[in-house]
Amino acid sequence: MNVQKIISEMTLEEKAQLCSGSNFWFTQNIDRLGVPAVMMTDGPCGLRKQTMNADHLGMNESVKAISYPTGSCVACSFDRELIRRSGEALGEECQAEDVAVLLGPAVNIKRSPLCGRNFEYFSEDPFLAGEMAAAYIQGVQSKSIGTSLKHFAGNSQELRRMTSDSVIDERTLREIYLPAFETAVKEAKPWTVMCSYNKLNGEFASESHRLLTEILRDEWGFEGAVVSDWGAVNERPAGVAAGLDLEMPGPGELSTKKILKAVESGALSEEAVTLAAQRVLELIYKYLGNRTEGVTFDYEGHHEMARRMAAESMVLLKNQDSVLPISKEKTVAFIGQFAQRPRFQGGGSSHVNSYKVTGAVEAAKGLNITYAPGFSEDGITADETLAVEAEQAAKSADCAVVFIGLPEAWESEGFDRSHLRLPECQEKLVERVAAVQPNTVVVVHCGGAIEMPWLESAKAVLYAYLGGEAVGGATVDVLFGDVNPSGKLAETFPVQLEDNPSYLYYFGEGDRVEYREGVFVGYRYYDKKKQRVLFPFGHGLSYTRFEYSGLTLDRTEMQDTDSLQVSVKVKNIGNVAGKEIVQLYVGDDESTVKRPLRELKGFEKVELAPGEEKAVTFSLGKRAFAYYNTQISDWHVESGEFTIYVGPSSRDLPCCAKVRVESTQPIRKMFSLNSTIGDLMADPRGQQIMGQMMQGAGMGDLSKAGGDIMGAEAMLAMVKDMPLRNIISMGSLFSGQSIDPESIQALIDGMNA
């Protein structure tokens, strides 16, 4: 279809109409020119296609679809290929339902474990989130279905999400909150990007020319359409000027009138309206031009895929005395309502009308299982009769598995959590069962991190997250050893909420939310501070053991324009086949700016038979060593030594090696009268000149200048921090001589030349 021809035949009013949807889910049709409407609908962890009574909070029913594991769950797989295949399955379902764009993936960073929408988001780490998002997009779009990368940007809480102002300094924005979007845009080229509700540094994301045009398009090369989150538009003409192409939902009669009035007054150019309309048309015909009629898909096959995804993503947090896997010959008590009716998805716009839901009790048919509900159906209310029944079931079995988790009323889009605890009745149930049954296993169904005051009571903990409609079968697969767990935490679990770096500032004051923790988000903070955590980022156990050895770098010195090849050997030294997620971190040994101790810069999932060893390789470019330098508005590597760490988690890194990186973009420090003597002495030229000048003024032997009043070390420290201007006025205190101002200024001019 010739989009340019259609654009040339459109009136200004028709172009303006095309900049808004026609209703809740569809773009605007232009009947006069034969332009049809196409449908967008919610993801990202399952198709939520509503045919009537549309909403964006998941209240009204949608068509039957497969509910896949949520983002927080599947990210723990660290498996790009698995996520890509799930994207393909979702793409097939969209083709079958005539949906043009699936609204996902969601890549916002988990600034705090309280965020109500964390179950949708991949990680606290931008590198991992970006890699997962790119794989998801590639999978969906391989089926000629568009994706909508969201929520761009700085959307880290649900409280006042439509009006809050995320105040984020430029370095933090570039290093933490933008990279996942950048990676996904550059590597996977999503058809659309969805702007967020919130303001970013005082400006609504929907009206930010810097965000939607300068960064997204000019810097990153995005070529698709920018879509608003549903109801995110503040002033439509300002949005068009900024680069927001499509406002959702519709109808947008008021916005159309505002656009026309703005063009008429000269406040908005017609060219901007034409460009937005053209991008919407390109989106429509990109789908229609690749539409496949009569597509069907295998519901049962996709349900089984959801089961495999959940099993690959679950994280075995604890396994004392190797209580797991459970022998199928043993008698086992399944305890807790979630064993029969699992909590498997989040609330709100991602809520799927599931094809079918399999609980663990149903999936374990044929095994020696007894079941006791343990607590009330709402998951919140204690029931003494049910608790006593659970104790009796646990006593009578060889082991007990207690299924607990957050009720949906405590975790959903639209609001944030107020604490990290489970309902009291569930926490007490774990302790009561463990008191009568020494072999107690806990399965947790949650969208994010929780506190675990009951942890010592449990022999094993399997974190199932929100594992989709087939989570019951996947849980049974892992509990009884048909699947060896291989998930690793994509977020840090703090001991308590108060340990989180954003704790004091998370909800902000009124609409203003200051990201005062800066780049120290998640493990970047905990590891730098040596803070005790419940479970570190990247942690996850297996039914086998892995050994790391032979870390090698292809060079020990390099320029920042070079790439570094890293290789490490991983061996399965246990008795069963398993998969290990090999994680690579990079740390700057000595930096002039405050940086994390180390940061994730590579990961690979490798499958190994017992006794098998494989070499895992990584390639690291400039960005693996760089920080964002706001002085030059670019990524910058400081010359110096860096340490490459490899291992199974951010706090278990048995292999390390060093490489020296030379910067090809040295940043020259400019000096002034307020520069310190220490500043000059850090520069080789300044050290030589300053030494000669101080000798000439009789200040060469500073170790004796303090006499009996202060020691040499204290004197040197004081002089190091002295501004150059003070040499003029205070130099005579040390030597009885003065240094003239012209000499100091000449020194400064020479250093700055």
Side-chain angles (χ1 to χ4, degrees), residues 511-528:
D511 283 338
R512 184 177 175 84
V513 182
E514 298 181 9
Y515 287 49
R516 293 194 188 184
E517 65 278 3
V519 300
F520 295 98
V521 176
Y523 72 88
R524 286 168 166 77
Y525 169 81
Y526 298 116
D527 291 355
K528 184 81 169 184

Side-chain angles (χ1 to χ4, degrees), residues 58-91:
M59 294 182 293
N60 296 312
E61 193 167 282
S62 53
V63 300
K64 288 284 185 182
I66 307 300
S67 173
Y68 294 95
T70 62
S72 65
C73 178
V74 76
C76 294
S77 74
F78 281 69
D79 193 329
R80 299 174 180 87
E81 180 60 22
L82 181 72
I83 293 179
R84 189 189 65 78
R85 290 201 308 270
S86 73
E88 292 175 355
L90 281 164

Side-chain angles (χ1 to χ4, degrees), residues 17 23 36 41 80 115 128 177 228 230 266 272 287 307 347-348 403 459 492-493 556 574 584 590 687 745 748:
Q17 288 173 347
N23 56 30
T41 197
R80 299 174 180 87
C115 179
L128 175 59
Y177 297 100
S228 76
W230 267 232
Y287 169 67
R307 180 172 179 163
F403 292 75
K459 273 284 184 73
T492 308
F493 279 32
T556 56
L584 182 149
E590 186 176 355
Q687 193 175 73
Q745 190 59 52
I748 293 170

Side-chain angles (χ1 to χ4, degrees), residues 331-531:
T331 58
V332 184
F334 278 7
I335 295 169
Q337 290 281 355
F338 294 136
Q340 190 168 57
R341 289 184 294 277
R343 171 100 196 284
F344 64 93
Q345 65 175 330
S349 61
S350 66
H351 197 280
V352 175
N353 182 14
S354 301
Y355 162 62
K356 67 176 182 179
V357 180
T358 305
V361 172
E362 179 186 350
K365 282 181 180 177
L367 299 175
N368 298 319
I369 303 296
T370 58
Y371 167 65
F375 48 83
S376 62
E377 288 190 16
D378 64 8
I380 301 170
T381 309
D383 187 314
E384 181 62 19
T385 301
L386 294 179
V388 171
E389 179 187 315
E391 286 179 311
Q392 293 302 318
K395 277 183 186 179
S396 304
D398 293 323
C399 69
V401 182
V402 186
F403 292 75
I404 58 176
L406 284 173
E408 187 168 323
W410 287 21
E411 182 181 40
S412 174
E413 176 186 354
F415 60 87
D416 296 302
R417 294 157 67 187
S418 58
H419 57 79
L420 297 184
R421 297 289 291 268
L422 293 178
E424 186 179 14
C425 68
Q426 296 187 38
E427 293 185 339
K428 287 186 174 179
L429 180 66
V430 172
E431 293 172 348
R432 289 178 66 165
V433 169
V436 300
Q437 173 52 261
N439 295 317
T440 294
V441 176
V442 177
V443 174
V444 186
H445 294 282
C446 289
I450 59 170
E451 294 173 8
M452 298 183 185
W454 43 264
L455 181 60
E456 292 303 313
S457 300
K459 273 284 184 73
V461 179
L462 179 64
Y463 220 78
Y465 275 93
L466 300 181
E469 64 178 44
V471 68
T475 303
V476 169
D477 291 341
V478 174
L479 288 175
F480 291 92
D482 291 328
V483 172
N484 190 344
S486 60
K488 303 266 189 174
L489 289 179
E491 59 189 316
T492 308
F493 279 32
V495 174
Q496 58 185 2
L497 172 63
E498 290 80 1
D499 295 338
N500 182 262
S502 71
Y503 174 71
L504 293 176
Y505 314 107
Y506 177 58
F507 290 117
E509 297 178 348
D511 283 338
R512 184 177 175 84
V513 182
E514 298 181 9
Y515 287 49
R516 293 194 188 184
E517 65 278 3
V519 300
F520 295 98
V521 176
Y523 72 88
R524 286 168 166 77
Y525 169 81
Y526 298 116
D527 291 355
K528 184 81 169 184
K529 199 181 175 205
K530 298 182 180 179
Q531 176 80 47

